[in-house]
Amino acid sequence: MLIDRPERLAVGVVAPKGARRPANEVAVALDRRLSRETEGDVLFDPASRGRYATDASIYQIMPVGVLVPKSDRDVAVALEIARELAVPVLPRGAGTSQCGQTTGAALVIDTTKHLRNVVAVDAERRVATVEPGLVLDHLNAQLKPLGLWFPVDVSTSAQATIGGMAGNNSCGSRSIAYGNMVHNVLGIDTLLADGAAVSFGPMNDASGRAAAIGAFVRDLALRNRGEIEARWPKVLRRVAGYNLDIFQPQSEKPYTGDGSVNLAHLLVGAEGTLAWSRTLTLKLAPLPSAKVLGVVNFPTFHAAMDAAQQIVTLGPTAVELVDRTMIDLALANPAFAATMTTALRGQPAAILLVEFAGDAKQALLTRLGRLVELMGDLSLPGSVVEMTDEAAQKNLWEVRKAGLNIMMSLKGDGKPVSFIEDCAVPLEYLAEYTDALTEVFARHGTRGTWYAHASVGTLHVRPILDMRRDGAGKMRSIAEEASVLVRKFKGAFSGEHGDGLCRGEWIEWQFGPHINDAFRSIKDVLDPNGLFNPGKIVDPPKMDDSALFRFPPPQAPAPYRTIALVPALDWSAWDVQNDPRTEAISAPGTGDDSTGGFAKAVEMCNNNGHCRKFDAGTMCPSFRATRDEQHVTRGRANTLRLALSGQLGTDAFTSEAVKEALDLCVSCKGCKRECPTGVDMARMKIEFLAHYTKRHGHSLKDRLIARLPDYAHTVSRVAWLANARNWIPGAALLGERLLGLAAKRKLPTWRSDTFWRARDENDFASAGATLAAAQAGEKVAVLFVDTFNGVFESENALAAARVLKAAGYTLHTLDKGGGHHCCGRTFLASGRVDEARDRVGALIDALLPFAQAGIAIVGLEPSCLLTLRDEALALGLGDKAIAVSKQALLFEEFIAREAKAGRFDVAFTPVEAPMLVHGHCHQKAFAAVAPILDVLRLVPGAKPALIETSCCGMSGSFGYEARHHAVSMAMAEASLLPAIRNAPDAIVVADGTSCRQQIAHGTKREALHVARVLERFLPST
Ligand SMILES: Cc1cc2nc3c(=O)[nH]c(=O)nc-3n(C[C@H](O)[C@H](O)[C@H](O)COP(=O)(O)OP(=O)(O)OC[C@H]3O[C@@H](n4cnc5c(N)ncnc54)[C@H](O)[C@@H]3O)c2cc1C
Ligand code: SF4
Ligand code: SF4
C-alpha cells in the first residue's frame, strides 16, 4: 500500500489551495512515469519514502515518492510530470533543516548525489557558480587553492548544500563580518512552476519574465512601504517570510554593496516554495590568512550575555556562546572532551569564543590583547584562554559546531526542541532577554541549554520537552511568552533556521496581515498552483499540530508506539527517562520501552545529518561510497525507527527492507564515536541480525564464517586441502555460486604452523607462575591470541611475544585443548548472540583470575580484543565482564602505557624507511590509533604518518562477499589504496587482519601488524 499512516498526517493540513491529495493511482502513475522518463533513482517503496519523511525537526510527513535525479534534465522532466499529475514537489539538499521545511507530502527531489558540481569560478571577480546539491565544505575545498572561500559558514558545513542554504537564507558563525546567504548570493538560475527557465539576478539587468516578476514585487513593496518600515525587524538575523524588503532594506547590513536590488534575493529564504534552483552564483571572499581566538570564561551566564555588546566593539569576526550544560556534555563525549578542556579556566558557567581574523597576525594579536584588557576592565582578569595555534582553534570550532548535536545526546524522551531556538534580539537586550526566557522555561517546568551567535544576538536555546507526552502544549505556551519578549526587545522571531512548520504560523504575527498577504501574492505570481513545497511560508499549519510530529502523543490520530520485542543485547542504559529541570537520568530499565531500550537507542538519531560527511574520521564509509540516504547511519536509524514503531507494516523489523538498509553497514563503529548522539549502528546491526536470522535462518556462508573459530584448529591440520579453493581451477567460481564469496578474492591461506603449534612453550609461563610473578611486582602480561593471528598469521602473535619478552615481561597465553579461546566476534557478526555469549563467556572466565590480579590482557586483532571492551558488556555477563574489560588492552596500547610509565625499555635499531599507518575502524572508535604512532616512534628514526582513511572496506567477511566486492573496493580506493601506492618505499602498518588483506588485494603490498614492525627492529642478541 502506498498511502499509509504518515500520509494521513500530512494531507489536508499542509496542502495549499490548488494542490490535491495524491491518490494511490496518482502515486503509481508518478512512479511509473519517472522511472520511464528520467535516468535518476526513483524511490517509492515505504522504507525509502520513510527515510525522506523527516529532517532535523520534530516533524514527520511521508512523501509521495523520491527522485534522486542524475541531471538537470531529469529535474525538468520530473517537474513537468508532477505538474501534469498535480503532485507537489519538495526540493531537498542534505535535509538538515530544523523546522520541518524539508518534510512534505510531495515528490521529494534530492540534489545531493549528482547535482553537485562547481560550474564555474572566476577567481579575479571572486564569483562562483555551482549546482544546488554541492556541499559547502566541498566548495570551499575547491576554492582554497585560489585563496578564496564562501564565507557563510554554517555549523553543518560538512553536509549543508548551497541549494539548501539559499533555501533557508542560512547564516554562519561569522555573519557579523560576512552577512547571511542573502548577502552573498548574486544570482539564481531557476525552473519555475510552469517549466520556464528564468534567471534571477540584478534588477537592472532583468528582462522578460524576471523583470515582470521584479516589477510586480516592487509595486507590492511600494504599497506596503509603511507596514515594512513599521513591522520589519531591523536586525541582521531575520529570515522569516520572503525578502520583500529588497526594495527597502531593513537589515543592519545592506543586501548589496551598491544598494541596488538583486531579484535572486527574493528566492533566498523561500524554502523551496517559489522555484527550483538549478544553479546559484555566489560572492566569494578572500580566505583570511591568520586567525586568533580568545576563549573568555565567565562565572555567570548573565555576565557572558552582558559582555557581548562590549566585545563586538573590538571588531571580532565571531563571538559564540557555549553554556555550562553544553560544556559538560562535551566533556562527557570522548570525541570532544580533550578539546573542550583546552578552552577552560576552572569551572565557568559559560564561555564566549571570540575570533579575530585577517591578514596580519600581529594586528590580530594586538586585538586579542585588547580583549584581555577589556575583560580585566570588566572585573574578569585571567578569564581569557588565548589560542593562537590554528589547529587548536579549529578543534574548538568543531566542538562549537557540534553544539546542537551534543545537546541532543540527552537520553530519555525529553529532548531539547527547536521552535524558538533562533530568535534574535539587539545586543543591548541580550542579557535581559535570556534572563526573562529562563524564567519562562522555569514556569513551564523545564530549562534550556544555550549556545549562541552572541555577536548578532541570535540565541540557540532549546527547552527540554517531551513531545510524546505534554510537549505540544508547553511548546505553544513557551512560544507565546517568548514572542512577547521578542516584540518587547524589537527582535526577530525567526533569526537563522527558517520558518518551516514550527514558525510558519508566526510569520503573520511578525509582519502583520498586510505583509502576510503580500507574501501570498508573491507565491501566487511565481507558483499559482502550489507546486512547490506546499504549507511552508504561505498557509502553514499550526506548529503544535501533533499529527505532524515524528513522535505523535497519545491524543494524536496515530500515536507513536513501539512493537514488543525482547532484545538479544542489553539496551537498558537507553531505557530511561530524564528530568527536564535537572537533566538527571532515571535508572536503567525504567524508561517504559517495549523493546527494552533498543527503540530508544535508535530514536537517539535526531536526523541532523552529521553522518553525511566526507571529512576526517570514519563515519560513514558506505555513504561515502554510495551517497545514498539508505546507506548512511541516519537512513539506517530511520528505517529501524519506522520498523520498530510499526510504520512500515507488520513484522517489518525482520523484513528485507530493513536488511537492505543495514546490508552495507560494515560495522566499523565509526558512528559509535562520531555520531554526536552516539548512535551505535554496529551494535544495532547485531540486534537486528539476531531477530532476522531467528525468522529467516542462516545462510551456509554465514554458518561457515561464524563457526570458523570452532573448526579453525582442526582444519589447519589439512591446510593444503583447505586451500584448494584458491588453486583448483573453477573452485573459486563454484564458491561464488554456492557461498557468495567473490571469485575475484583470494581467501586467507590456511597454515598448519599455527601459533599454538609454532610457539616455543618456554616463552610462556603457567597461570600459577604468572599470578605469582604479578604478586611479586614483576612485569607480567597475558597474551590473548585470536583465531586470525593464531591460525592464519601466527608470525604476528609470535612477534608480539618476542617483543614483550625482550622487554622483560613474564608472559602467559591462554590454551584450550591445544587450541584457543574466541571472543565471539564472528558469531556476533551474523547475529548469533547466544553462541557469542557462550564463547566470550568462556574467554572471560579464563581471563578473570588474571584481570582480578590486575594483569593486562594484551590482544592483537582490534575487533577481537575490543569486543571485550564493547559488546561483551552488553551480553548480560555481569561484573566479571566489566572486570576483564578494564584490563583488556591492544598490544600498542599496552606498550605505550608501559613506555610512559618507564617499564618498557628496548633499544630498537634505527629505521630509515618511511612508515604509513592505517588505523582499524575499531581502533579509531576507541581512540586507540595514537598509541600505534607512539610505539612506532620508539624505533629511532621512525616518522610514522597516519593515512587519513575511513573504513578499508574489507570489514571481516564483508569485502569477500561477491555482492559487496565493488562497494568494498570503492571504500578502499577513497584514500587508503592511493595513499599506499603513492608511497612505494614505505613500511605499511595495519593492525587489522582484514585491513591487511584489503591492502594486499588492492596494492599487492604487504602491510604489517605493529608487533612485526617492532620485532623487525629488535636488537640482535
Ligand atoms: C546541528 C545543526 C546545526 C545547524 N547550524 C546552522 C547554522 O549554523 N546556521 C544556519 O543557518 N543553519 C544551521 N542549521 C540548519 C541547516 O543545517 C541549514 O539551514 C542548512 O543550510 C540546510 O542545508 P540542507 O542542504 O540540509 O538543506 P535542506 O534542509 O535540504 O533544504 C533547506 C530548504 O531549501 C530548499 N531547497 C533545497 N534545495 C533547493 C533547490 N535546489 N531549489 C529550491 N529550494 C531548495 C528546501 O526545500 C528546504 O526548504 C543547522 C542544523 C543542524 C541540524
Ligand atoms: S545517526 Fe547520528 S550523526 Fe547521523 S543523523 Fe542521526 S544523530 Fe546525526
Ligand atoms: S557502523 Fe560504520 S558503516 Fe555502519 S552505520 Fe556506523 S559508520 Fe556507517
Side-chain angles (χ1 to χ4, degrees), residues 619-622 632-633 636 664-671 681-682:
M619 172 173 77
C620 171
S622 49
V632 71
T633 321
R636 294 183 176 119
L664 297 193
C665 168
V666 289
S667 300
C668 65
K669 301 190 188 180
C671 44
M681 193 51 66

Side-chain angles (χ1 to χ4, degrees), residues 405 604-611 619 633-634 637 674-677 679:
N405 295 333
M604 288 299 290
C605 171
N606 70 338
N607 276 261
N608 59 64
H610 187 67
C611 39
M619 172 173 77
T633 321
R634 175 174 78 175
E674 293 166 39
C675 161
T677 68
V679 170

Side-chain angles (χ1 to χ4, degrees), residues 314-463:
L314 302 176
T317 34
V319 183
E320 297 284 302
L321 169 98
V322 177
D323 83 345
R324 183 73 229 175
T325 308
M326 212 169 95
I327 293 172
D328 286 338
L329 287 168
L331 290 173
N333 186 318
F336 303 125
T339 300
M340 182 47 86
T341 310
T342 61
L344 303 182
R345 285 259 161 92
Q347 295 272 318
I351 53 176
L352 285 180
L353 276 57
V354 185
E355 183 193 80
F356 301 98
D359 288 333
K361 185 124 184 183
Q362 197 46 50
L364 302 178
L365 290 171
T366 309
R367 285 210 254 167
L368 188 56
R370 277 202 221 116
L371 176 69
V372 175
E373 274 168 35
L374 174 67
M375 287 304 117
D377 295 347
L378 294 175
S379 309
L380 290 173
S383 61
V384 183
V385 175
E386 295 175 53
M387 279 191 191
T388 51
D389 171 50
E390 296 215 2
Q393 293 174 42
K394 190 165 173 278
N395 289 343
L396 192 59
W397 278 116
E398 288 304 319
V399 178
R400 157 60 194 88
K401 278 166 74 173
L404 170 61
N405 295 333
I406 295 174
M407 264 190 230
M408 298 303 282
S409 58
L410 185 65
K411 285 180 183 154
D413 292 347
K415 300 281 184 208
V417 176
S418 299
F419 62 103
I420 50 155
E421 85 290 356
D422 62 356
C423 301
V425 296
L427 281 191
E428 62 266 36
Y429 304 123
L430 203 51
E432 215 181 319
Y433 172 69
T434 52
D435 286 349
L437 204 52
T438 304
E439 282 170 26
V440 171
F441 295 156
R443 268 202 300 283
H444 292 283
T446 184
R447 69 175 203 172
T449 298
W450 307 77
Y451 67 98
H453 304 298
S455 56
V456 286
T458 303
L459 282 155
H460 287 325
V461 62
R462 291 169 178 82

Side-chain angles (χ1 to χ4, degrees), residues 55-56 90-98 101-102 111-112 132-133 153-156 159-173 237 270-273 275-278 280 400-402 404-405 451 453 460 496-497 533 606-609:
D55 52 15
L90 171 53
R92 174 166 164 133
T96 65
S97 292
Q98 293 189 27
Q101 57 266 56
T102 325
T111 59
T112 56
D153 55 338
V154 291
S155 300
T156 40
Q159 301 82 42
T161 60
I162 300 296
M165 288 172 62
N168 285 349
N169 192 4
S170 292
C171 325
S173 295
R237 292 302 197 92
E271 301 186 356
T273 60
W276 172 270
S277 304
R278 303 168 77 188
L280 301 100
R400 157 60 194 88
K401 278 166 74 173
L404 170 61
N405 295 333
Y451 67 98
H453 304 298
H460 287 325
E496 180 171 305
H497 298 142
N533 202 5
N606 70 338
N607 276 261
N608 59 64

Side-chain angles (χ1 to χ4, degrees), residues 192 198-203 205-216 263:
L192 295 189
V198 177
S199 298
F200 291 85
M203 175 94 172
D205 302 342
S207 60
R209 191 79 176 271
I213 291 169
F216 173 81
L263 291 175

